Structures are given as C-alpha cells and as structure tokens.
Amino acid sequence: QPPEKAPVDFGYMGIDSILEQMRQKAMRQGFEFNIMVIGQSGLGKSTLINTLFKSKISQKLVQPTSEEHILKTIEVKSITHDIEEKGVRMKLTNCWQPIMKFNNNQYEKYLQEEVNINCKEHILDTRVHCCLYFIPATGHSLRPLDIEFMKRLSKVVNIIPVITKADTLTLEERVHFKQRITADLLSNGIDEYPQKEFDEDSEDRLVNEKFWEMIPFAVVGSDHEYQVNGRRILGRKTKWGTIEVENTTHCEFAYLWDLLLIRMHMQNIRDITSSIHFKAYRVKRLNEGSSTMANGMEEKKPEAPEM
C-alpha cells in the first residue's frame, strides 16, 4: 500500500490575512476622495486645499473681467489631482462656486453606472464626499445665506464648517465667534460632520466629542515655507511674527488635517457618503420609476432631481 500523501499546507488563512489582501488591493487600485470647497471669493479656498495636501493642486486664476466675474458665480470648477504617498494612490477633486445641482449630478452619474447592465468593476467615483464650508472671520453670526445653504447641503453631503484667516481675530474674539456659529448651527438644525446620529461606536463617540467642541475649525492656510528656529514651517509672515499653520497654539489647521481629513476619518467620510447620502438619493430615484432606468440602460440623459 503506497504511503499516504502529506496534507498540502496552504498556509495560515486568518482574519489578518484577509485584511492584508484588502489592503494590498486598495493600494493597487487607489481611491477617490472628492472635496467640495464653498465660500466667497478671497477667503483662501485654493490656498487651504494646497496647504491640506502640501501640493500645488489648486492654481490661482487670473483676474476675471466684470462679465466673467458674473458668470463665475453660477459655475462649478473641478480640478482633479492624483496624489501618491507610500504606494497608495488617491485621486483628489477640488470644486468650488458650488451649485446643489452639481452634487446631485455626481450621484446621478454614479447611479447610472450602477444600474447599467454592463456595469464596470470599478466605477469612477465623482461623488462629493466632504464639503468644507468657508466662513469669513467677521466675529458676527452666520449670514442668512450661509444658514440656508448649509441647511440644504448638510442633508446630502458631509459638511465641515471652517473659519478662514482666523489670525485676523484675537483669541477672545475667536472663542466668542465659534460659540455664535455653534449656536446658529444648533438652532437651525444643521448637522455638520461628524454627525452624531451616525455615530454607533462608543470609542468613536469619545473621539468625536473633541471634534464637536472645536467646530467650526479656526484655520490659517499657507503654501509658503519659512525658516523658524532652524525648522522649515508652513506659515504666514506678519510684522508681528510668523504664524505657523501646523502649530495648534496658533490655529486649528492641524486638527482638521490630522484628525478629520487624512488619518482617522477619511474612510468614514466616504462610507457615510455611500451608505447614507447616496443611498437616500438612490432610493428616491429608483422609487420614481424613471424610464431612463428601463433595462438598466440610459435612454435619455436624466435631470438629477434636487434632494
């Protein structure tokens, strides 16, 4: 009788192996992270995006003519930039001069790809994952326009209010201004990210409580480097000294960058976009029974409804 064959060793296949496979796949494919930046002209939107990702993603535009300036208020500009860090590719889209229709159109594009009978394995994700809403450092309450817009937008996208050019306020003025804005957000039912109703994990809630105390984030943006005490820092030079962007005693930019956008919450922001905001849009559209969805094929380019 021939000797029994030794069992084939396929190696250890535990949970950690599965997680490693998922990590390697994500590194190969990369991912999209789309930021909508909203705010009036001159608040430093382009500068802050460049500061966040330490890259010249957003280029300054030439001074528009009076006619171009009027048109600029009703258009959406998108800049797509590929970032690669430690072997992980991320596609970043920055858009401003927002229109609610733009956000819904991105949902519509994604939905049409999903229901298409020839659906691709990887759908290019142009949905807005996060909106940075820029609030000028006036020291007053929110404008009625800001309140109305954030009320609408917070229902369809993760919104993060930020006070820009916070160095124009004293520390006392900054504290009072943040308190006024927080009161305005609460009294008008504006749910900023991280939304408490989506927070199911007890450990995440403890971390998020610190964020809720900081919102809106008082930030300073700069894409210029200076030498301070032998260190190269991002900052703004004034006649009183250099304001260090990443120094938490100067502003709250580091919290916005380190905690909200890059390390801890980027995936959570993308997950909420898919499981909450896009799902609500998808249910609404599919319930409409639009003829454009027949057989999963697009017969006529649909107009994205306002949510």
Side-chain angles (χ1 to χ4, degrees), residues 98-105 149 152-153 156 306-307:
I99 301 174
M100 287 290 290
K101 182 179 175 182
F102 177 84
N103 185 78
N104 289 332
N105 281 344
F149 199 90
R152 292 172 178 267
L153 196 64
V156 297
E306 184 173 346
M307 293 291 286

Side-chain angles (χ1 to χ4, degrees), residues 165-176:
K165 299 186 177 180
D167 54 314
T168 61
L169 299 172
T170 67
L171 294 179
E172 293 79 8
E173 289 172 339
R174 186 189 301 180
V175 169
H176 292 311

Side-chain angles (χ1 to χ4, degrees), residues 3 21 40 46 72 89 120 125 162 188 277 300:
Q21 292 174 32
Q40 66 192 53
S46 301
K72 185 181 174 185
R89 292 192 307 277
K120 304 171 186 174
D125 191 357
V162 295
N188 288 281
H277 298 308
K300 180 182 177 183

